Amino acid sequence: MALSLPTGTKVSVASTLGTSYAVTAATNAAETVLTVATGHGLATGDYVVVRSGWSLLDYRVARVKTVATNDVTLEGINTVNLDQYSAGSGVGSIQKVTAWTEITQIKKDGGLAVAGGEVKYAPSSTLDDPDDKQIPDGRSVTTFTMTVYDDPTLAWYPIVDAISEANTVSPLRMVFANGSRTLTNGYWSMAKTPVIASGQVNTLGLAFSATCRATRYTT
């Protein structure tokens, strides 16, 4: 058994993304292989944003495991289930995350909260059954809320501000003290007015709403 603490966790926003390249095929496999247009320049270890005809892969952030010319394997992205990943329907595009910028000065006590992502259930009881039943009905939206000490001169501030104002999607990465990491994609929002209280350091609120399921890596 291994236990971990939140202290040392680093949260980053994808500050720049590269050129988008077409994905012309996607395999149903324990780790899907994408056929990417020539000139993609992807390499092992790169983080990418995938747009896909498969809803469970669309907007997902993944790490490149191997590259063989135009065939790019995504680490940990299992598309075996044909009910969820219809054969031949995974085409779309891929974009490399070319830079991350850390969200610094997050409050240590209560400054980062994650909610949602759990399975939702729909009642499925029948009149003749005395016991209640329910069946899975997708997952709730995952949200992140962050309280940071206010300083508009920090490197991440104009990046998150621009993303928030444009209502565009940009990846989020959390790297934990044990080296594991979680990546997802979604909408960022940032308050323009800090929270002020006598005797307290001014703070600012950030929020993130995921548009896809998270991807987790142990290292």
Side-chain angles (χ1 to χ4, degrees):
M1 179 176 69
L3 304 178
S4 58
L5 294 169
T7 303
T9 300
K10 297 182 183 297
V11 179
S12 299
V13 58
S15 42
T16 58
L17 292 100
T19 302
S20 179
Y21 287 88
V23 172
T24 57
T27 64
N28 294 97
E31 290 183 312
T32 189
V33 178
L34 308 183
T35 301
V36 183
T38 300
H40 57 78
L42 295 173
T44 298
D46 286 343
Y47 290 100
V48 293
V49 175
V50 182
R51 298 302 313 275
S52 175
W54 289 328
S55 59
L56 284 176
L57 184 57
D58 198 26
Y59 285 108
R60 195 97 178 256
V61 185
R63 189 161 61 192
V64 174
K65 184 173 184 177
T66 59
V67 177
T69 311
N70 292 344
D71 290 338
V72 177
T73 301
L74 300 184
E75 183 180 352
I77 303 298
N78 189 323
T79 58
V80 167
N81 190 331
L82 292 173
D83 292 332
Q84 296 177 323
Y85 302 93
S86 300
S89 299
V91 298
S93 63
I94 194 169
Q95 204 172 6
K96 177 183 173 180
V97 178
T98 52
W100 298 92
T101 299
E102 184 183 349
I103 307 294
T104 53
Q105 295 192 175
I106 298 175
K107 253 185 101 175
K108 185 173 184 178
D109 296 325
L112 175 61
V114 183
E118 71 275 358
V119 176
K120 299 184 296 179
Y121 292 93
S124 61
S125 304
T126 57
L127 186 61
D128 62 331
D129 191 341
D131 296 329
D132 288 340
K133 302 285 194 306
Q134 57 184 12
I135 57 176
D137 185 27
R139 295 176 182 267
S140 63
V141 174
T142 301
T143 59
F144 295 70
T145 54
M146 288 163 265
T147 302
V148 300
Y149 293 114
D150 181 48
D151 182 356
T153 67
L154 295 173
W156 59 261
Y157 187 97
I159 297 166
V160 176
D161 185 31
I163 295 168
S164 175
E165 288 294 316
N167 290 322
T168 53
V169 172
S170 190
L172 174 150
R173 181 181 68 183
M174 295 177 67
V175 179
F176 303 96
N178 62 7
S180 66
R181 58 203 62 211
T182 293
L183 301 107
T184 189
N185 206 353
Y187 292 97
W188 294 75
S189 63
M190 181 174 71
K192 289 296 185 70
T193 305
V195 176
I196 57 176
S198 180
Q200 301 291 323
V201 178
N202 290 352
T203 60
L204 198 68
L206 306 182
F208 176 90
S209 179
T211 56
C212 62
R213 291 187 181 178
T215 306
R216 185 76 188 269
Y217 296 114
T218 57
T219 58

